[in-house]
Amino acid sequence: MLIGLLLAGQHTSSTTSAWMGFFLARDKTLQEKCSLEQKTLKDLNLLDCCIKDTLRLRPPIMTMMRMAKSPQTVAGYTIPPGHQVCVSPTVNQRLKDSWVECLDFNPDLCLCAIGAGRHHCIEENFAYVQIKTIWSTMLHLYEFDLIDGYFPTVNYVTMIHTPGNPVIHYK
Ligand code: HEM
């Protein structure tokens, strides 16, 4: 259980933080606005929305699986007992008919949640607090830039989808 907790909390939060760094480095105006938002943690609303849109476009966990224990009917389909269904935030959170400009990083949307239902992430609030603590400190100390415009591709090889070759410039 301890390993589960550590894995559930460590790679997910660090990957989200890393991706958010690239989104902020790519948009210097947004980065400046976030760095000026130096208040108490609960008032970091812009940074909060930046985390949400990072989680929308780069969810560290690509699929969530459930097994039907009894027959379930969803949207006209019947799922027999013992069959599995899979939901993918990576797909759902960039559907063209659900999101305007679905591939653009847009903190104004400020909508994404971590999982849903009974097994919704139990430490979502903690994740936000730690990512905001780290990034509000880093933005206070440094300025971040992409190196020659390099924005990482998604590394789909690992279970948690990290940025490929995550190099960034800071001063
Ligand atoms: C940005 C950071 C995080 C992300 C993206 C994330 C993502 C998720 C997702 C998608 C689920 C639902 C899985 C499912 O429905 O099958 C989940 C559940 C869970 N998360 Fe997180 N998580 C984060 C941070 C954390 C932290 C910091 C902890 C603990 C310190 C944690 C502990 C857990 C646990 C124990 C569950 C299982 C809940 C259950 O099955 O009832 N997570 N997380």
Side-chain angles (χ1 to χ4, degrees):
M1 189 182 251
L2 190 59
I3 290 171
L5 267 176
L6 290 175
L7 286 177
Q10 200 270 328
H11 296 317
T12 47
S13 308
S14 60
T15 301
T16 306
S17 298
W19 278 118
M20 191 165 83
F22 285 103
F23 284 119
L24 293 180
R26 188 163 69 177
D27 185 340
K28 295 299 293 278
T29 311
L30 180 62
Q31 187 182 146
E32 173 77 12
K33 278 189 198 160
C34 287
S35 73
L36 293 173
E37 195 187 39
Q38 298 289 330
K39 300 180 196 155
T40 58
L41 273 180
K42 72 176 173 52
D43 293 327
L44 293 173
N45 296 327
L46 182 57
L47 212 49
D48 212 81
C49 293
C50 287
I51 298 173
K52 282 196 167 61
D53 220 46
T54 302
L55 286 166
R56 180 179 70 83
L57 286 174
R58 295 292 185 278
I61 296 174
M62 189 178 175
T63 50
M64 287 174 256
M65 315 278 285
R66 296 288 184 274
M67 189 169 74
K69 284 187 163 176
S70 54
Q72 301 288 328
T73 304
V74 184
Y77 295 92
T78 301
I79 303 149
H83 283 226
Q84 296 197 14
V85 287
C86 171
V87 170
S88 172
T90 305
V91 174
N92 290 349
Q93 289 165 190
R94 47 176 77 184
L95 288 174
K96 286 199 180 100
D97 53 359
S98 304
W99 307 88
V100 181
E101 307 293 349
C102 58
L103 296 181
D104 290 353
F105 183 69
N106 180 6
D108 288 344
L109 289 174
C110 208
L111 273 175
C112 197
I114 308 183
R118 190 178 287 180
H119 291 285
H120 171 261
C121 181
I122 52 167
E123 289 296 352
E124 180 167 3
N125 288 342
F126 175 71
Y128 273 81
V129 168
Q130 63 166 331
I131 296 171
K132 284 199 283 187
T133 305
I134 292 166
W135 269 107
S136 65
T137 307
M138 298 233 283
L139 290 171
H140 187 60
L141 296 174
Y142 305 108
E143 186 186 329
F144 294 84
D145 283 288
L146 298 183
I147 300 174
D148 298 327
Y150 171 74
F151 194 90
T153 50
V154 184
N155 174 11
Y156 287 115
V157 174
T158 50
M159 197 178 107
I160 302 282
H161 294 137
T162 51
N165 188 24
V167 288
I168 203 163
H169 182 265
Y170 66 94
K171 62 185 178 212

